Amino acid sequence: MGTAGNVEVFEKMPVAKAVSNMAVPTVIGQLIILFYNMADTFFVGQTNNPYMVAGASLILPVYNISLALAGLAGVGGGALVSRLLGKGQMQEARSVSNFSVCMAVGLAGMFSLTLLFFRRPILSFLGAGSETFRYANEYAFCVIVLGGIPTVLSNTYANLLRSIGESKKAGVGITLGGLLNVALDPLFMFVLLPRGREILGAGLATCLSNIISCGYFLIAIRGLGPDSILRGGNIRELPAKESIRSIFNVGIPSALATFLFDLDYIVIGRLMTAYGDVQMAAIGIVLKIERLPLNIGIGISRA
């Protein structure tokens, strides 16, 4: 299977049908990414504790920055992989795929370590007050520090799978994580952990969901067969300098676009700190709903 099984998508299928086949799973995947945070907010909201809701909402821009890192590695690498496959340069496509995965792990690791050691100044900058800092800190530790690498890696693998025409597998992996998050949230929040630690439960559920989703992608890629360019190879065999430049030429604008949307949320969050944590919780919910049309557009553009 693997790349050879998707020649029809790239060479024989009508353009409109091919775009549709690629776009629908991609849009669903983008909506599921948004659903992660909305599910946490919904269940945290059941506690009737606005400080918990505000704490979870504060982490949305940080979580989206991890998705921007996945875009840098996955969108940049995936776009180049598709072009290389079109040229028949299989070995170079394999090297680009390896490089993108390694870059995703490295960037996610550095981002997680940065948040681990500088959580207090970062969360304070985002607007965490005395009542919300504890909740934001617990949620960020689980979702970004512990779950940062599997989150970035999952989304990178999803983009690479789309690049070889496996949009359905990419959509299944992201959807699996979202469904698990919905199932695990109430289990961790209201059953396994004591009252008052619901935000920790939401963070652990999201972290575990992303780890399982990442595991699915590893299994799915292995199932593509030994000839698939995503199966890896010699990680010391770097792509050509021109290929590395091309990854960044596409990946940086993608990551920057995501970051600029998050910058908007950071500014709004900073402005809302003057009005209190309850107002922060309210605006956080609205901002998540506001991303709905945005994520649909991102899904279509990445198909």
Side-chain angles (χ1 to χ4, degrees), residues 34 37 57-65 125-127 257-273 280 283-295 298:
L34 177 61
N37 276 130
S57 298
L58 279 170
I59 307 305
L60 177 62
V62 184
Y63 182 79
N64 287 336
I65 289 174
F125 174 77
L126 291 174
T258 301
F259 175 74
L260 289 176
F261 283 116
D262 292 333
L263 184 62
D264 179 35
Y265 296 160
I266 292 171
V267 171
I268 293 175
R270 291 284 299 172
L271 293 174
M272 290 304 299
T273 56
M280 173 78 77
I283 198 67
I285 294 172
V286 174
L287 288 176
K288 290 179 181 180
I289 298 173
E290 185 262 346
R291 280 191 71 97
L292 181 62
L294 170 64
N295 279 40
I298 291 175

Side-chain angles (χ1 to χ4, degrees), residues 9-282:
V9 176
F10 294 108
E11 296 183 0
K12 301 178 181 178
M13 190 176 291
V15 174
K17 185 177 180 181
V19 171
S20 176
N21 284 357
M22 299 285 285
V24 172
T26 308
V27 170
I28 292 174
Q30 286 295 316
L31 293 178
I32 292 296
I33 289 173
L34 177 61
F35 196 48
Y36 266 92
N37 276 130
M38 292 183 70
D40 284 352
T41 301
F42 172 79
F43 287 110
V44 171
Q46 304 307 301
T47 65
N48 293 318
N49 186 333
Y51 302 113
M52 281 192 185
V53 177
S57 298
L58 279 170
I59 307 305
L60 177 62
V62 184
Y63 182 79
N64 287 336
I65 289 174
S66 69
L67 299 182
L69 297 177
L72 174 58
V75 175
L80 180 56
V81 164
S82 294
R83 297 199 301 274
L84 290 171
L85 292 179
K87 296 177 181 178
Q89 299 179 17
M90 306 295 289
Q91 187 54 47
E92 183 67 5
R94 188 186 303 272
S95 297
V96 169
S97 172
N98 288 338
F99 181 81
S100 297
V101 170
C102 292
M103 180 168 64
V105 173
L107 291 173
M110 289 189 291
F111 186 61
S112 295
L113 287 174
T114 299
L115 194 67
L116 174 63
F117 293 113
F118 300 101
R119 271 178 291 166
R120 182 167 292 276
I122 290 174
L123 295 179
S124 297
F125 174 77
L126 291 174
S130 57
E131 297 287 348
T132 58
F133 179 83
R134 168 197 162 189
Y135 302 124
N137 183 44
E138 289 183 346
Y139 191 70
F141 181 79
C142 295
V143 175
I144 308 299
V145 176
L146 296 181
I149 290 179
T151 298
V152 174
L153 198 53
S154 292
N155 285 277
T156 299
Y157 277 136
N159 281 300
L160 290 174
L161 279 168
R162 293 185 195 108
S163 74
I164 64 169
E166 294 286 357
S167 283
K168 290 183 179 179
K169 285 186 173 62
V172 168
I174 297 298
T175 302
L176 174 65
L179 294 177
L180 281 173
N181 195 34
V182 173
L184 294 177
D185 264 345
L187 177 63
F188 277 89
M189 293 173 63
F190 306 119
V191 178
L192 298 180
L193 295 183
R195 186 178 179 84
R197 306 307 300 273
E198 289 87 356
I199 193 73
L200 177 61
L204 289 173
T206 299
C207 176
L208 183 58
S209 299
N210 283 322
I211 291 173
I212 295 175
S213 178
C214 186
Y216 161 83
F217 280 115
L218 292 172
I219 294 172
I221 288 172
R222 186 172 182 81
L224 294 175
D227 295 331
S228 171
I229 59 99
L230 300 187
R231 281 292 297 269
N234 187 357
I235 61 174
R236 297 181 181 179
E237 187 176 330
L238 292 174
K241 290 183 179 180
E242 181 181 347
S243 294
I244 295 175
R245 193 179 305 114
S246 180
I247 291 172
F248 286 103
N249 285 344
V250 176
I252 288 177
S254 174
L256 186 60
T258 301
F259 175 74
L260 289 176
F261 283 116
D262 292 333
L263 184 62
D264 179 35
Y265 296 160
I266 292 171
V267 171
I268 293 175
R270 291 284 299 172
L271 293 174
M272 290 304 299
T273 56
Y275 297 94
D277 293 324
V278 175
Q279 288 79 359
M280 173 78 77

